[in-house]
Amino acid sequence: MCRLVFVLLFIHFHRTRVKNMFYHAYNGYLQYAYPFDELKPISCKGMDTWGSFALTLVDSLDTLVVLGNMSEFRRVSELVLSKIDVNANVNVSVFETNIRVIGGLLSAHMLSKMGGLTVEDGWPCSGPFLRLAERLAWKLLPAFNTDTGMPYGTINLRYGVHRKETPVTCTAGVGTFLLEFGALSRLTGNDFFEKIALKALEELWLHRSNLGMVGNHIDVKTGQWTAVDSGIGAGVDSYFEYLVKGGALFSHVRLLKQFKAYKAVIDKYMKHDDWFFWVSSYSGKVSMPVFQSLEAFWPGLLTLVGNIEEARRIMVNYYSVLRNYGFLPEFFNIPQMDPVHKRSGYPLRPGNLVYLYRATEDPLLLQIGAEMIEAIDHATKAKCGYATVHNVATHSLEDRMESFFLAETTKYLYLLFDPDNFLHNSGEEGTMISGPFGNCVINSGGYVYNTEAHPLDPSILYCCSSKRQKEFQTLAYLEDKLDVISLLDIRNEPTVKHPVETEAFQVLTTVKNDK
């Protein structure tokens, strides 16, 4: 009994602490940085980084709902809808705009009703957040107008791709669109977005090396790899993530098979004692024996595909670095067991322990989460928010707080210590709504997080999907055209049991009496 009370108090304490961390950073952003993209937490100023979207606010919308602050979600929703100008003369990252802005808008759209917004007729298949996300996606589409169908990395929202824009894009910048574009297609009924994302994924698959690997950067016009190092970290990471999550969310089985093939190659050439080195994609020889903090997603991804014990072992390796420095450095030299010079920072990246903890309930994962919270709150807290760690060895700081601190880091830590959160719903409950294609159930669990931790509700996607529309049209046709009474041969006559039914009843009665 005492142990149970201690565990409950431990969980409550850290959940409250994460919430306080979120609001310290969130309020600091609103007070000192809005409408700029990011907060400079030491000097208490704002700056635009990824396109002047009020990015930190967009990234925070669904976290407000996760924390249960529906009144603030309603208040700032209007700020977001009025702030974003999809026709601005600004150069933006196609990748970052997709995962942060379109992903954030789609999640806010799906959580609108739960967040207390008055939704319009036709929701969840229409709504202001959805329309804004769709308009922004159309602005990104010219980037995909290449011979290969793989996108440029940068685009101007007003004028499109500059004629001198480099065609070199990282692998993740090509393969991280399916969740958002697929969701847009299912919600709007326009399958063009999903097809565009699938085409880009297919091109990466077709351009694998002779060993079955992908490089780090590719020329989207020619399909030639310009950086042939292969790994699971920076520049590649979310490509693998979207093969699994996109394959599962949209039932694209071939994507799951592709991930399985990649994993076999990764285990053969890159894996060394549950660490992962960078190797040449053509020879398989080790080119860089380092761990990157962006690889911290891998145990969670393995958990999703059922490789639980392997995920545990890898997480223990990562924890050994965390315990020594308090944070995971951007690059960590494994043979020397030391952060790499000039790549030893920690930009407040998330360490998603949620998947593995939900699968195992291993208390060690709660301990790791608690240590992460302590390190962030103790070493990075600044006057107006939380600052990037410049060097994990000295804990020196930089005057920057990326928007993903509020979208991912605090959200995942909060969910780790909030076992009853609606996002953990395992399908035991849901909400019946009347949608444009008849009644359907939403909020029924199985949420899929994009790579910026914006949750997507698969039940809402189904409610608006073409499959659901066809089912609705078929039912309407049947109700209109068929005489169900005559079809079932139901008459206003006394019920007469069929001889076979009578015989079966007698047999069952005999068996029961014999007992």
Side-chain angles (χ1 to χ4, degrees), residues 478-490:
L478 290 173
E479 291 175 355
D480 183 55
K481 298 296 183 182
L482 297 180
D483 182 348
V484 178
I485 299 298
S486 62
L487 184 67
L488 297 178
D489 196 25
I490 299 175

Side-chain angles (χ1 to χ4, degrees), residues 377-440:
D377 207 22
H378 174 74
T380 76
K381 189 173 184 179
K383 178 182 177 181
C384 306
Y386 290 86
T388 291
V389 177
H390 177 72
N391 187 318
V392 298
T394 63
H395 288 188
S396 56
L397 301 177
E398 295 179 16
D399 195 11
R400 185 177 185 185
M401 185 183 79
E402 289 236 33
S403 67
F404 56 64
F405 179 68
L406 297 180
E408 298 182 77
T409 307
T410 51
K411 182 186 291 152
Y412 280 139
L413 286 171
Y414 185 83
L415 288 172
L416 181 66
F417 291 99
D418 189 23
D420 298 322
N421 196 276
F422 73 91
L423 288 177
H424 296 321
N425 180 9
S426 59
E428 297 173 351
E429 57 186 54
T431 304
M432 178 74 76
I433 64 167
S434 178
F437 307 111
N439 293 336
C440 59

Side-chain angles (χ1 to χ4, degrees), residues 212-223:
M213 302 185 203
V214 290
N216 196 265
H217 284 76
I218 193 168
D219 186 315
V220 299
K221 295 172 69 174
T222 66

Side-chain angles (χ1 to χ4, degrees), residues 1 27 93 97 112 136 177-178 193 201 203 208 243 256 276 298 307 309 319 346 394 420 428 454 466 479 494 507:
M1 182 65 179
N27 292 332
S93 162
T97 302
S112 291
L136 187 55
F177 291 91
L178 181 57
F193 295 107
L201 285 173
E203 287 297 316
R208 288 166 297 151
L243 288 178
L256 297 171
F276 295 88
W298 194 250
N307 293 13
E309 291 308 313
Y319 181 42
Y346 168 71
T394 63
D420 298 322
E428 297 173 351
H454 294 305
S466 58
E479 291 175 355
V507 171

Side-chain angles (χ1 to χ4, degrees), residues 172-385:
V174 172
T176 311
F177 291 91
L178 181 57
L179 292 185
E180 298 81 9
F181 278 29
L184 275 172
S185 285
R186 304 302 170 103
L187 291 168
T188 65
N190 185 347
D191 64 358
F192 187 63
F193 295 107
E194 186 170 346
K195 288 180 177 179
I196 288 287
L198 286 171
K199 169 65 174 172
L201 285 173
E202 189 62 23
E203 287 297 316
L204 285 176
W205 176 252
L206 293 176
H207 285 87
R208 288 166 297 151
S209 72
N210 57 307
L211 298 181
M213 302 185 203
V214 290
N216 196 265
H217 284 76
I218 193 168
D219 186 315
V220 299
K221 295 172 69 174
T222 66
Q224 295 296 311
W225 292 104
T226 60
V228 299
D229 285 347
S230 188
I232 63 170
V236 185
D237 51 353
S238 52
Y239 167 50
F240 296 131
E241 180 184 2
Y242 274 42
L243 288 178
V244 172
K245 293 181 177 179
L249 182 59
F250 302 119
S251 299
H252 293 310
V253 177
R254 72 179 183 279
L255 300 184
L256 297 171
K257 291 180 178 178
Q258 288 175 12
F259 175 77
K260 183 178 180 181
Y262 280 129
K263 186 180 182 303
V265 175
I266 289 167
D267 288 347
K268 180 177 180 179
Y269 292 101
M270 303 179 198
K271 190 175 181 181
H272 299 267
D273 296 326
D274 294 314
W275 295 101
F276 295 88
F277 294 171
W278 285 76
V279 302
S280 166
S281 58
Y282 287 95
S283 70
K285 293 181 178 179
V286 174
S287 58
M288 196 164 52
V290 301
F291 157 73
Q292 298 180 354
S293 59
L294 279 170
E295 297 173 15
F297 82 103
W298 194 250
L301 196 63
L302 293 184
T303 302
L304 289 179
V305 298
N307 293 13
I308 307 297
E309 291 308 313
E310 182 182 1
R312 280 180 191 259
R313 295 194 305 271
I314 296 169
M315 185 62 73
V316 169
N317 276 352
Y318 297 171
Y319 181 42
S320 68
V321 180
L322 187 73
R323 294 202 72 177
N324 280 336
Y325 298 96
F327 308 101
L328 296 178
E330 291 276 68
F331 280 37
F332 184 78
N333 188 300
I334 297 170
Q336 297 177 7
M337 296 304 287
D338 203 36
V340 175
H341 181 57
K342 294 186 177 181
R343 300 304 300 271
S344 59
Y346 168 71
L348 304 175
R349 291 197 193 283
N352 183 2
L353 303 164
V354 177
Y355 293 132
L356 190 54
Y357 179 71
R358 298 292 297 178
T360 64
E361 296 187 344
D362 185 346
L364 174 63
L365 298 169
L366 292 181
Q367 181 61 37
I368 296 173
E371 292 181 22
M372 291 175 63
I373 294 168
E374 171 62 25
I376 293 171
D377 207 22
H378 174 74
T380 76
K381 189 173 184 179
K383 178 182 177 181
C384 306

